[in-house]
Amino acid sequence: QVQLVESGGGLVQAGGSLRLSCAASGSIFSPNAMGWYRQAPGKQRELVAAITRGGFANYADSVKGRFTISRDNAKNTVLLQMNSLKPEDTAVYYCNAVWRNSTSWGQGTQVTVSS
C-alpha cells in the first residue's frame, strides 16, 4: 500500500520561507508525477506545483517566482521550497503522487502565514 508522508509545515511571518517534504513509500515504481495541492478554508483544493519524473515542472500563476518544486526519483521524494510567503498562501498543503493506474494523497500539512 502506497503512503505519502509530508513534513515541513508550520507558522511563518509574511516574507518568510518554508520547505515542504513528501516521501512516497510502498511502491517499487517512481511516480509519473508528484506535486503539491493546497486547500484554504472555504475554498476548493488547487494545484500549487507539480513535476514529472523527467523533471518538467509547472506552477500555479500565484506562486510562480516564489515557489520551487523538485524531486528525487531514487528516493521517491518531492520538495516544495516556498519563499516570499504571503498570508494568502495559508492553507493545508497536500502531497500528491500519480502512477499509471493509481493516485495517492498525503494527509496534509498546515501552512500558516501571518501578516
Side-chain angles (χ1 to χ4, degrees), residues 22-103:
C22 173
S25 62
S27 174
I28 63 173
F29 299 107
S30 180
N32 292 340
M34 300 186 77
W36 292 92
Y37 288 71
R38 67 186 181 188
Q39 188 167 18
K43 295 188 176 181
Q44 289 189 329
R45 190 173 297 188
E46 63 176 1
L47 174 68
V48 177
I51 185 168
T52 67
R53 191 164 51 214
F56 178 80
N58 65 294
Y59 298 89
D61 287 343
S62 60
V63 306
K64 283 180 181 177
R66 299 188 298 122
F67 291 10
T68 301
I69 190 169
S70 61
R71 66 184 283 179
D72 183 330
N73 291 332
K75 297 180 180 179
N76 282 351
T77 58
V78 62
L79 302 177
L80 185 67
Q81 179 65 44
M82 305 185 293
N83 299 328
S84 302
L85 283 160
K86 304 175 180 180
E88 50 263 45
D89 294 318
T90 295
V92 177
Y93 284 69
Y94 296 91
C95 178
N96 170 266
V98 179
W99 288 264
R100 181 175 181 180
N101 296 315
S102 64
T103 300

